[in-house]
């Protein structure tokens, strides 16, 4: 244990504009709040690589006890993570990877498997003699999940001659990167069967474009993330907007658990893979129930934390009062 008995966990989040990352932060905060000896500090790089590098450097010079990083892009974030490692700060990489293996541990789902799951879903829902036309919409190509999801997707489809990827759109994870490009593909290629978008936000963008051309009922759209909540993937599957989504858990709680284990001197695995599953109309209700329960529990925990904090404040002011009364 350190002298002041408090460890600092510094987390540099890629951005916090989307709900998936908000959920990752929340899961981290809930987990950290259950361990009083550990203080979590989150910095938001706002999707700006230079800012992310600077924030990691700040944590290095503050000599945090452990660093967690979700890199915006792989290559440009690699040297500064190495710098942290060389400074003796253990570094956990979450969701997106850096280049090479100079980090302490990785936590996230297997993105190659996610791409394979999406492709296998299409394969198993169509018959061999049927010619299928697909469009793939990728995430930001310089971030590892985009590369890996494509790799898995294409690997499976390479064995199926009846299924053709007629176009690949280079998206950037955001809905706005889908629109016009997909629009012109829908205008020029007839009867597209499936669109696989690397996340649910872009999948939603694809649906909106298909809808504007009255094609939303003939094209099946598959996304990734499967977030719960109002505009999350689970809801989109329930509403029939998406045919399916592949769950991509944020790993927020797991990353904090790993950080704490490491700081307590336990051995941790280098590669910590989270489970993924395809969510479609057959299992969406079960998934939604599970998430509702989990969410309820998290809310309860947060509620309890607030009550405890209030009690501590009351206790402190009462004992101060007692000290004053006792003339101490
Ligand atoms: C969130 C996000 C997710 C996606 C992940 C990939 O910012 O775009 O939608 O699955 O990042 O790193």
């Amino acid at each position: 244990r350190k002298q002041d008995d408090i460890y600092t966990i510094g987390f540099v989040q890629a951005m916090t504009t989307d709900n998936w990352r908000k959920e990752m932060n929340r899961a981290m905060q809930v987990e950290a709040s259950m361990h009083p000896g550990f203080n979590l500090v989150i910095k938001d790089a706002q999707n700006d690589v230079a800012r992310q590098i600077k924030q990691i450097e700040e944590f290095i010079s503050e000599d945090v006890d452990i660093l967690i990083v979700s890199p915006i892009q792989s290559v440009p974030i690699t040297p500064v993570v190495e710098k942290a490692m060389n400074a003796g700060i253990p570094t956990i990489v979450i969701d997106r990877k850096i280049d090479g293996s100079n980090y302490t541990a990785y936590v996230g789902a297997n993105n190659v498997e996610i791409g394979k799951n999406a492709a296998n879903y299409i394969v198993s829902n169509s018959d061999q003699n049927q010619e299928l036309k697909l469009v793939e919409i990728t995430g930001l190509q310089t971030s590892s999940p985009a590369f890996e999801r494509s790799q898995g997707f294409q690997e499976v489809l390479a064995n199926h001659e009846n299924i053709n990827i007629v176009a690949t759109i280079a998206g950037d994870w955001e809905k706005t990167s889908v629109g016009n490009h997909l629009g012109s593909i829908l205008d020029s290629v007839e009867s597209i069967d499936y669109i696989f978008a690397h996340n649910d936000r872009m999948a939603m963008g694809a649906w909106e474009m298909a809808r504007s051309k009255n094609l939303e009922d003939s094209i099946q759209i598959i996304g990734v993330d499967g977030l719960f909540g109002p505009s999350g993937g689970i809801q989109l599957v329930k509403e029939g907007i998406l045919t399916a989504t592949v769950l991509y858990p944020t790993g927020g709680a797991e990353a904090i658990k790993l950080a704490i284990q490491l700081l307590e001197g336990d051995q941790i695995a280098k590669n910590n893979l989270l489970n993924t599953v395809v969510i479609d109309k057959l299992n969406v209700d079960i998934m939604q129930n599970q998430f509702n329960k989990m969410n309820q529990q998290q809310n309860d925990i947060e509620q309890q934390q607030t009550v405890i904090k209030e009690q501590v404040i009351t206790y402190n002011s009462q004992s101060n009062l007692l000290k004053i009364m006792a003339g101490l």
Side-chain angles (χ1 to χ4, degrees):
R1 275 268 150 165
K2 291 213 318 179
Q3 284 206 321
D4 59 3
D5 238 24
I6 298 272
Y7 284 112
T8 300
I9 303 170
F11 172 44
V12 186
Q13 174 62 291
M15 71 215 79
T16 47
T17 38
D18 63 82
N19 287 339
W20 190 85
R21 294 203 183 262
K22 285 184 186 142
E23 175 49 33
M24 187 199 281
N25 286 7
R26 183 172 113 103
M28 284 193 179
Q29 280 156 342
V30 170
E31 185 61 40
S33 70
M34 292 190 279
H35 303 271
F38 299 85
N39 182 28
L40 171 66
V41 181
I42 301 180
K43 292 184 198 268
D44 173 7
Q46 296 170 34
N47 209 12
D48 175 344
V49 169
R51 182 178 279 123
Q52 187 162 46
I53 293 172
K54 201 175 130 249
Q55 290 173 332
I56 296 172
E57 273 169 351
E58 282 164 13
F59 275 140
I60 296 174
S61 53
E62 288 160 21
D63 199 22
V64 290
D65 297 294
I66 194 164
L67 196 62
I68 305 176
V69 180
S70 188
I72 300 166
Q73 298 181 31
S74 300
V75 174
I77 302 302
T78 304
V80 69
V81 167
E82 284 174 353
K83 192 172 164 186
M85 292 291 287
N86 291 338
I89 302 174
T91 304
I92 296 175
V93 176
I94 183 168
D95 153 48
R96 301 185 185 175
K97 293 176 179 164
I98 58 164
D99 212 25
S101 55
N102 197 356
Y103 52 84
T104 310
Y106 170 77
V107 56
N110 181 339
N111 280 299
V112 176
E113 192 190 328
I114 285 180
K116 285 185 181 172
N117 280 348
N120 281 323
Y121 185 83
I122 296 172
V123 170
S124 60
N125 283 289
S126 55
D127 79 71
Q128 253 171 285
N129 311 314
Q130 200 184 351
E131 289 284 324
L132 288 188
K133 289 184 203 161
L134 266 56
V135 173
E136 182 184 5
I137 304 172
T138 77
L140 183 71
Q141 308 245 314
T142 44
S143 65
S144 64
F147 178 78
E148 293 175 347
R149 286 172 195 177
S150 274
Q151 194 190 328
F153 189 66
Q154 289 169 19
E155 207 177 294
V156 169
L157 296 180
N159 303 322
H160 297 272
E161 278 170 11
N162 60 318
I163 305 179
N164 300 304
I165 303 178
V166 294
T168 302
I169 297 175
D172 68 359
W173 298 119
E174 303 313 321
K175 198 169 153 183
T176 46
S177 63
V178 176
N180 297 336
H181 197 163
L182 179 62
S184 53
I185 292 166
L186 295 181
D187 288 340
S188 58
V189 186
E190 248 178 85
S191 63
I192 288 172
D193 300 285
Y194 280 96
I195 296 175
F196 170 48
H198 284 193
N199 70 9
D200 293 336
R201 298 198 298 289
M202 296 189 295
M204 186 65 202
W207 181 84
E208 283 171 5
M209 182 48 75
R211 190 187 181 163
S212 74
K213 302 192 180 291
N214 287 320
L215 290 171
E216 80 273 20
D217 291 334
S218 59
I219 303 179
Q220 305 205 50
I221 304 175
I222 300 175
V224 178
D225 281 347
L227 212 59
F228 61 90
S231 55
I234 292 189
Q235 188 59 32
L236 298 179
V237 170
K238 248 195 119 139
E239 289 170 11
I241 289 176
L242 300 186
T243 297
T245 180
V246 191
L247 179 70
Y248 187 54
T250 68
E254 290 80 0
I256 296 298
K257 281 186 187 141
L258 286 171
I260 291 174
Q261 281 167 12
L262 201 70
L263 290 171
E264 286 180 335
D266 295 339
Q267 294 271 2
I268 63 168
K270 175 128 188 177
N271 210 10
N272 301 274
L273 290 183
L274 306 170
N275 289 331
T276 166
V277 62
V278 176
I279 303 168
D280 71 353
K281 61 177 184 309
L282 296 177
N283 63 353
V284 69
D285 288 325
I286 298 174
M287 294 301 291
Q288 197 171 40
N289 286 339
Q290 294 283 336
F291 278 122
N292 281 344
K293 255 186 222 154
M294 231 171 61
N295 217 19
Q296 188 56 48
Q297 280 167 355
Q298 287 203 346
N299 285 338
D300 288 350
I301 292 169
E302 277 164 308
Q303 177 67 28
Q304 281 169 1
Q305 298 288 340
T306 320
V307 173
I308 291 170
K309 267 187 209 138
E310 279 162 6
Q311 284 174 342
V312 169
I313 293 170
T314 315
Y315 171 83
N316 284 343
S317 58
Q318 281 176 350
S319 62
N320 280 342
L321 200 63
L322 283 176
K323 278 181 201 156
I324 292 166
M325 282 162 54
L328 293 172

